[in-house]
Amino acid sequence: MKLSYNQATCMQRSSVKNDILLCEKHGYDLIELRLDMLKEYLQTNTLQDLSKLFNSLHIKPFALNSIENINFNTKQSWAELVDLFKFACEVAQAIQNPYIVIVPTVTEERSKYNEKEVFDDSVESISSLLEIARPYGVKLSLEPIGDRRWVCNSMRQAYEIVQHMDDEDLGLTIDAFNVYLADKCADIEFLNEIDLKKIFIYHIDDCEDLPLGILDHCHRLMPGDGIIPLTRFSQILKEKGYTDGASIELFRPEYWEQDPEVIIKMGAEKAKPYL
Ligand code: ZN
């Protein structure tokens, strides 16, 4: 697998250019850029600058993060989402970035939508997004989020949507932390049943040993520092023949306080044994 970095990991103290250069220096192959950080970058740079930068380096764009709350939108929230999505498509096309990560809707408390409602709504909204994305040549990668505040939580639930839609431009992001957050990885072997062609992105994250209900994204840890069975995740993916990016994607405030170079270097060292 290729070593990849997701900008969430140092987002409070870094920038698009800084992350790209530090990741290049520390041996990463791919990077997932954040849309909010890209907007900041584009205040003083152009997409052509970004494209030139990537052309001059080994590291390449992997995915843009993320289009969130894709379900149960109002007319207005959908219009805003599509605006951001079109921006992401333009960036993706300009820098030859293959994937945009799309994320189910988060609710205030435990989601009250049943699976059928989520399935039907997801099919409808993802179909619209795929139509918009098609001319830009960018693919969509659906990432289930384990916590029950989100409307789509498991690999199985997300894969049912992806399988039903049967579109070569639609696949899955498998985030080890989100799989753990859903059921402490009780259903990890389901990964064996997912068609390799439908696995677009792997987020290789570890986390603290906390009960479900307390465990949250701020408890993510460097690979190997926590209790997620990352060896098993990587083993299944390798057996399937997955050779694309494994991204460290950590939303840990403690990491945000540190020098991005320290974290990026550490991420490369911690992730490498699992590639
Ligand atoms: Zn993720």
Side-chain angles (χ1 to χ4, degrees):
M1 284 180 241
K2 294 173 184 152
L3 178 62
S4 179
Y5 173 80
N6 183 301
Q7 281 204 287
T9 310
C10 292
M11 66 182 180
Q12 305 276 345
R13 280 194 54 180
S14 197
S15 65
V16 164
K17 194 171 178 186
N18 193 46
D19 279 344
I20 293 171
L21 295 176
L22 287 175
C23 287
E24 175 82 3
K25 180 176 168 189
H26 293 287
Y28 289 78
D29 305 297
L30 297 166
I31 185 165
E32 297 189 39
L33 300 173
R34 282 181 61 88
L35 295 172
D36 52 352
M37 294 172 83
L38 271 164
K39 286 200 164 171
E40 208 176 303
Y41 172 85
L42 290 171
Q43 284 179 1
T44 47
N45 300 275
T46 65
L47 281 176
Q48 215 182 355
D49 295 333
L50 189 56
S51 175
K52 267 191 208 158
L53 180 62
F54 276 120
N55 286 338
S56 71
L57 302 171
H58 164 77
I59 193 164
K60 294 292 173 262
F62 186 27
L64 302 179
N65 287 250
S66 44
I67 298 297
E68 292 163 15
N69 297 316
I70 63 164
N71 303 100
F72 308 114
N73 277 281
T74 62
K75 216 172 168 184
Q76 193 190 334
S77 64
W78 181 254
E80 286 165 16
L81 184 151
V82 167
D83 264 359
L84 182 65
F85 183 66
K86 285 182 177 164
F87 165 73
C89 288
E90 282 164 20
V91 173
Q93 186 178 42
I95 63 172
Q96 293 177 294
N97 165 91
Y99 303 117
I100 295 173
V101 176
I102 56 173
V103 178
T105 286
V106 60
T107 57
E108 298 268 312
E109 289 170 32
R110 211 181 154 88
S111 166
K112 292 178 181 67
Y113 297 99
N114 68 40
E115 283 209 18
K116 173 82 167 72
E117 289 167 330
V118 174
F119 180 92
D120 290 343
D121 180 82
S122 298
V123 169
E124 194 186 327
S125 56
I126 295 171
S127 299
S128 305
L129 295 176
L130 282 167
E131 283 316 306
I132 296 169
R134 210 97 57 198
Y136 296 92
V138 60
K139 296 173 190 271
L140 305 187
S141 188
L142 176 63
E143 178 168 354
I145 309 293
D147 188 276
R148 297 302 190 274
R149 281 173 292 159
W150 277 265
V151 302
C152 177
N153 311 120
S154 64
M155 293 190 282
R156 178 196 50 75
Q157 194 184 358
Y159 190 45
E160 280 171 13
I161 296 163
V162 167
Q163 256 186 322
H164 170 83
M165 295 187 70
D166 191 24
D167 189 309
E168 61 178 7
D169 294 334
L170 176 66
L172 293 174
T173 299
I174 304 297
D175 182 319
F177 174 75
N178 278 314
V179 176
Y180 188 83
L181 193 57
D183 61 5
K184 291 207 167 186
C185 291
D187 208 12
I188 186 173
E189 297 302 320
F190 183 82
L191 187 50
N192 282 303
E193 292 170 38
I194 302 178
D195 183 351
L196 173 64
K197 289 201 296 288
K198 292 296 175 198
I199 302 173
F200 286 175
I201 297 168
Y202 173 31
H203 285 167
I204 184 163
D205 311 313
D206 216 329
C207 72
E208 293 178 45
D209 186 1
L210 290 167
L212 297 185
I214 292 174
L215 185 67
D216 211 342
H217 297 275
C218 61
H219 302 117
R220 291 176 181 233
L221 286 168
M222 288 285 171
D225 287 359
I227 48 150
I228 298 182
L230 291 177
T231 303
R232 183 67 189 136
F233 267 103
S234 290
Q235 187 186 15
I236 298 173
L237 286 168
K238 276 187 240 177
E239 281 168 9
K240 296 181 84 70
Y242 181 85
T243 55
D244 218 338
S247 292
I248 56 159
E249 182 201 35
L250 310 171
F251 295 87
R252 189 175 182 83
E254 189 187 316
Y255 297 155
W256 291 335
E257 285 166 18
Q258 294 182 51
D259 177 355
E261 179 153 19
V262 171
I263 298 298
I264 286 171
K265 185 166 181 275
M266 188 194 301
E269 285 160 7
K270 297 273 188 182
K272 268 176 189 160
Y274 299 99
L275 302 181

